[in-house]
């Protein structure tokens, strides 16, 4: 059997490395940015386009799919891949983050979490075991344990409790996952390191996650309201605690700055709604910083969104046309901006992989950010 | 010089015929259904998809483009084709219909029409000459004269006035168009027959249009609130008044029944927002009638939208998935439903062309409608 994760090359000047995840729906080159398809669709982008950009894995949200269309529908469809017509890999989160961020009411008990749906107020219970089973029904290639995600600014005591419960839930999740694997389920389970912004709790949570020995480990509880300096400090602090031989995943980051910082710290996987969400509001990435397509001075700007981008949107459409589509609230604006933003991030990470292979990641990062942070029009 | 319109084949059992329009952006096989791209985009569909379906001509709306982005932007873009990245033909309407249906205020004078924008209330004037010039700036391959469109149910006197003004405006439009053509503009001008639901006025208006001898003639003022029987009666009555050698265009029809009825009467061109507009509300065409994708009993329906359709949406996605996308208000639902509906109509008309070439249009129409009208689920 092929190993699940192989490191291909490490850049000697930092922790950045390239690798390959071997998953049920094909190999995934790392570092990898995963687009988010919350409801079983990456918003405003077709799967044909995702394939043509080159994505090998996307993320979908267990919480949303569990509520709509519901597991009975997904089960009858024989899983999320055929349901949404995506033949490549899917990582699903556990729903924990959404329970904490979206549900109008939730209560954590030892046995799991009880919450009300943000859609219709109905009451639901998710247990660490149940969440593994749900993700097995989804057919997730990588699934996440149920965890307790905490916000920036909570007390040490609360953070410690969250770490303890997360670790307990991990043990139970792993047991269920092993049973599922014995019965033919081929998806991999990832643990999640919590610990808020307390270094000893990060250490404790990392040690517990490492002890559980899941195929991969995620760093949770970052990008939850803290500033960039704190984010970078805790990212670096936590990343170095994790075993070199396992894939490391940081959840919810999607700006070029954060992605490159994560790669530098040896992070292999990341996801974010940012490229599609900001695309729908008329913000688009360029090599000289992200710009607003709706600004009045784009009216006669017949150049491409990003002159350095070779995506089909930049080859075919002007900023003036994009602005017109935005002003007239045309769906095509969301379609084109989302496509471009995903292409941009995919290629940023692809360029980063090449730079790592050529032992020049740090200079690549510096050059990219110099232009990106300094050049916005 | 190639003739603008050539009849290729006439079905001996009715007035249906196939032909070819030779236009600046390539040939167009007729009968032809033209998708509507109001704001310079067929809503929720890319130009790549329009090309892959096979559309050779689309329609865009002068009124909307004149207001947004405005003629200064289109002019700076060197026309609508490069602005929207559509390399094939474009027919533009005159804006007359929108002035009557959208503007909160309008006043018809001999010199033209004054109206307030439905977007910001600003006051504008359009003259028959100005509308020709606007459409020349757009670079329209076929442009329509400014006309006075009337609703179902108005008096004979008002209808006569509309016919008289429409004819006067045609004379003036043609003069300007000839000047434009002398200066290199290659688009064709179509006249419009009005006359409301008074047969002698239809005759009068047709005679005036024929006398003006434009490259093509449109039948306006149908599908404006009258019932199907009246529509069919006046369609047949007016169509037969028009010269056989010129392309005939009926504006604003998009249901399979109306399209096939128009083809039977020898109509060569039609357009409608219907396939994209109803697509966005979750209504989709099938060979057994149009269906609502949002109905509860689609929840576990894993078959394609239309088992008889070979479009990429029907090959890739289920009704259950489409329903889920609709319920979660995902943009992809509009994208897929619009694509399918356009593909369906394009192929209906393509099948009709083949049936005409094989002298079996009437039986094709009967077979199609028998299943379409009788089989809805």
């Amino acid at each position: 059997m092929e190993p699940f994760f192989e490191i291909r090359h490490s850049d000697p000047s930092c922790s950045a490395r390239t690798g390959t995840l071997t998953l049920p729906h094909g190999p995934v080159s790392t570092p990898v940015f995963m687009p988010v398809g919350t409801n079983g669709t990456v918003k405003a982008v077709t799967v044909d386009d995702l394939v043509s950009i080159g994505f090998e894995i996307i993320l979908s949200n267990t919480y949303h799919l569990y509520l709509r269309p519901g597991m009975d529908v997904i089960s009858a469809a024989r899983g999320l891949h055929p349901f949404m017509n995506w033949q490549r890999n899917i990582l699903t989160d556990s729903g924990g983050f959404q329970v904490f961020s979206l549900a109008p009411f939730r209560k954590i008990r030892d046995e799991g979490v009880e919450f009300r749906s943000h859609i219709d107020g109905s009451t639901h219970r998710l247990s660490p075991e149940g969440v593994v089973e749900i993700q097995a029904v989804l057919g997730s290639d990588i699934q996440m344990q149920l965890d307790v995600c905490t916000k920036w600014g909570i007390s040490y005591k609360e953070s410690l409790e969250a770490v303890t419960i997360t670790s307990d839930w991990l043990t139970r999740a792993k047991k269920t996952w092993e049973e599922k694997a014995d019965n033919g389920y081929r998806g991999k389970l990832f643990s999640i390191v919590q610990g808020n912004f307390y270094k000893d709790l990060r250490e404790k949570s990392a040690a517990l996650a490492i002890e559980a020995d899941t195929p991969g480990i995620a760093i949770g509880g970052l990008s939850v309201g803290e500033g960039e300096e704190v984010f970078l400090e805790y990212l670096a602090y936590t990343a170095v605690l994790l075993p070199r031989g396992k894939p490391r995943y940081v959840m919810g980051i999607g700006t070029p700055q954060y992605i490159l910082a994560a790669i530098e710290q040896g992070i292999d996987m990341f996801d974010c709604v940012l490229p599609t969400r900001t695309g729908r509001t008329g913000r688009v990435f360029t090599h000289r910083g992200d710009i607003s397509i709706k600004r009045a001075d784009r009216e006669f700007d017949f150049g491409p969104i990003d002159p350095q981008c070779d995506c089909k949107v930049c080859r075919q459409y002007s900023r003036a046309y994009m602005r017109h589509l935005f002003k007239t609230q045309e769906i095509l604006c969301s379609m084109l901006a989302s496509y471009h933003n995903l292409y941009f991030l995919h290629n940023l990470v692809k360029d980063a992989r090449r730079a790592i292979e050529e032992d020049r990641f740090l200079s690549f990062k510096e050059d990219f950010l110099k232009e990106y942070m300094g050049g916005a029009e």
Side-chain angles (χ1 to χ4, degrees), chain A residues 21-276:
Chain A
L21 298 168
T22 300
L23 287 169
H25 290 83
V28 174
S29 294
T30 62
V32 61
F33 174 78
M34 301 179 285
V36 176
T38 298
N39 289 310
T41 158
V42 176
K43 288 189 194 299
V45 181
T46 64
V47 293
D48 291 342
D49 275 343
L50 294 174
V51 168
S52 79
I53 292 174
F55 288 111
E56 296 167 329
I57 184 168
I58 63 171
L59 180 144
S60 197
N61 291 119
T62 294
Y63 170 90
H64 290 85
L65 295 168
Y66 165 81
L67 292 177
R68 286 191 305 199
M71 299 317 296
D72 48 351
V73 172
I74 301 277
S75 177
R78 296 169 185 266
L80 182 56
H81 292 80
F83 184 62
M84 69 176 288
N85 182 43
W86 172 251
Q87 319 294 338
R88 299 188 177 185
N89 296 290
I90 299 173
L91 180 150
T92 48
D93 61 8
S94 65
F97 181 76
Q98 280 73 29
V99 166
F100 291 94
S101 59
L102 289 179
F105 163 89
R106 94 283 305 167
K107 188 181 258 175
I108 301 167
R109 296 198 172 85
D110 282 345
E111 61 267 29
V113 59
E114 185 177 313
F115 66 96
R116 291 229 182 96
S117 159
H118 73 291
I119 300 162
D120 62 6
S122 55
T123 302
H124 301 267
R125 283 187 192 82
L126 290 177
S127 68
E129 294 87 355
V131 163
V132 170
E133 281 165 6
I134 287 169
Q135 292 179 92
V137 171
L138 291 170
S140 311
D141 300 283
I142 293 178
Q143 62 159 268
M144 306 305 298
Q145 70 152 116
L146 187 64
D147 64 331
V148 181
C149 187
T150 57
K151 285 181 196 164
W152 164 250
I154 67 160
S155 72
Y156 185 90
K157 185 165 169 287
E158 279 182 282
S159 303
L160 172 60
E161 270 173 21
V163 167
T164 307
I165 298 174
T166 296
S167 172
D168 171 45
W169 287 359
L170 172 58
T171 308
R172 290 159 55 188
K174 197 187 170 203
K175 187 162 175 289
T176 305
W177 172 67
E178 284 169 340
E179 288 162 13
K180 289 279 157 198
D182 288 344
N183 285 309
Y185 171 62
R186 296 168 61 214
K188 303 295 182 186
L189 177 69
F190 275 36
S191 56
I192 302 177
V193 175
Q194 291 290 349
N196 206 265
F197 298 93
Y198 300 99
K199 288 186 178 167
D200 66 318
L201 293 186
R202 285 280 165 189
E203 284 173 35
K204 183 182 172 68
S205 188
L208 290 164
I210 291 164
E211 194 188 325
D213 194 26
T214 51
I217 304 181
I219 302 177
L222 289 183
S223 209
V224 291
E226 79 282 8
E228 183 168 354
E229 262 186 56
V230 177
F231 166 80
L232 290 174
E233 181 188 349
Y234 275 82
L235 171 67
Y237 190 83
T238 313
V240 81
L241 302 170
L242 304 183
R244 196 178 164 278
K246 287 193 178 175
R248 302 162 185 159
Y249 166 29
V250 175
M251 309 164 83
I253 64 175
T255 65
Q257 306 96 293
Y258 275 31
I259 285 175
L260 293 176
I263 292 175
E264 182 179 350
Q265 300 300 333
I267 303 303
D268 307 294
M269 306 162 65
F270 17 83
D271 73 278
C272 199
V273 296
L274 185 93
T276 44

Side-chain angles (χ1 to χ4, degrees), chain A residues 170-374:
Chain A
L170 172 58
T171 308
R172 290 159 55 188
K174 197 187 170 203
K175 187 162 175 289
T176 305
W177 172 67
E178 284 169 340
E179 288 162 13
K180 289 279 157 198
D182 288 344
N183 285 309
Y185 171 62
R186 296 168 61 214
K188 303 295 182 186
L189 177 69
F190 275 36
S191 56
I192 302 177
V193 175
Q194 291 290 349
N196 206 265
F197 298 93
Y198 300 99
K199 288 186 178 167
D200 66 318
L201 293 186
R202 285 280 165 189
E203 284 173 35
K204 183 182 172 68
S205 188
L208 290 164
I210 291 164
E211 194 188 325
D213 194 26
T214 51
I217 304 181
I219 302 177
L222 289 183
S223 209
V224 291
E226 79 282 8
E228 183 168 354
E229 262 186 56
V230 177
F231 166 80
L232 290 174
E233 181 188 349
Y234 275 82
L235 171 67
Y237 190 83
T238 313
V240 81
L241 302 170
L242 304 183
R244 196 178 164 278
K246 287 193 178 175
R248 302 162 185 159
Y249 166 29
V250 175
M251 309 164 83
I253 64 175
T255 65
Q257 306 96 293
Y258 275 31
I259 285 175
L260 293 176
I263 292 175
E264 182 179 350
Q265 300 300 333
I267 303 303
D268 307 294
M269 306 162 65
F270 17 83
D271 73 278
C272 199
V273 296
L274 185 93
T276 44
R277 181 173 292 169
T278 63
R280 295 197 303 284
T281 69
R283 282 203 82 78
V284 282
F285 292 124
T286 86
H287 281 78
R288 299 184 67 195
D290 58 327
I291 63 170
S292 169
I293 208 65
K294 59 194 170 195
R295 238 173 51 192
D297 62 351
R298 315 285 181 216
E299 193 176 6
F300 289 90
D301 185 346
F302 295 104
I305 292 174
D306 179 5
Q308 296 178 62
C309 177
D310 63 352
C311 86
K312 67 180 178 184
V313 176
C314 287
R315 279 188 280 110
Q316 294 188 102
Y317 301 97
S318 67
R319 292 174 173 186
Y321 183 64
M322 292 292 293
R323 177 178 188 272
H324 165 67
L325 293 180
F326 186 86
K327 299 289 280 183
T328 50
Q329 298 179 289
E330 285 288 347
I331 288 175
L332 189 63
C333 187
S334 294
M335 294 163 63
L336 300 180
S338 300
Y339 180 95
H340 164 79
N341 281 352
L342 288 176
Y343 185 97
F344 185 93
L345 280 194
H346 180 78
N347 280 274
L348 170 64
V349 174
K350 197 163 82 175
D351 290 346
R353 286 201 297 268
R354 195 178 314 121
I356 295 166
E357 304 274 357
E358 295 168 3
D359 294 338
R360 54 175 180 82
F361 176 74
L362 288 183
S363 67
F364 165 77
K365 180 187 171 213
E366 191 185 345
D367 292 347
F368 179 89
L369 289 181
K370 191 174 165 190
E371 188 175 16
Y372 183 77
M373 305 301 285

